[in-house]
Amino acid sequence: MMGSQDDADARPAADADTAVDPVCGMTVQLFGTPITLVHNDATYAFCCAGCRNVFAERASASRSRVGD
Ligand SMILES: [Zn+2]
């Protein structure tokens, strides 16, 4: 019974390193992912470029409603 550091598996509760893909709901790593998009001052991460495109289209679609 030597060593009381068996709790190395304890994970920090912070979710700062992960984000939820707003399109498909998948949890993705923020750190190191190339597929991100900054919208309304928030950084979104996506599992794939397809999801990013869907989100970008929605964002621009809601914008284009302005006018008229
Ligand atoms: Zn996705």
Side-chain angles (χ1 to χ4, degrees):
M1 288 211 192
M2 294 169 58
S4 54
Q5 298 195 346
D6 277 354
D7 291 331
D9 270 349
R11 288 186 250 165
D15 288 318
D17 289 344
T18 61
V20 176
D21 185 326
V23 177
C24 70
M26 214 175 117
T27 300
V28 294
Q29 298 282 332
L30 263 182
F31 184 76
T33 183
I35 311 170
T36 58
L37 182 72
V38 178
H39 180 63
N40 284 346
D41 236 15
T43 301
Y44 298 90
F46 305 90
C47 68
C48 62
C51 281
R52 187 187 185 280
N53 287 341
V54 170
F55 185 85
E57 271 181 30
R58 284 184 192 168
S60 62
S62 61
R63 264 190 167 191
S64 64
R65 290 184 67 108
V66 181
D68 199 53

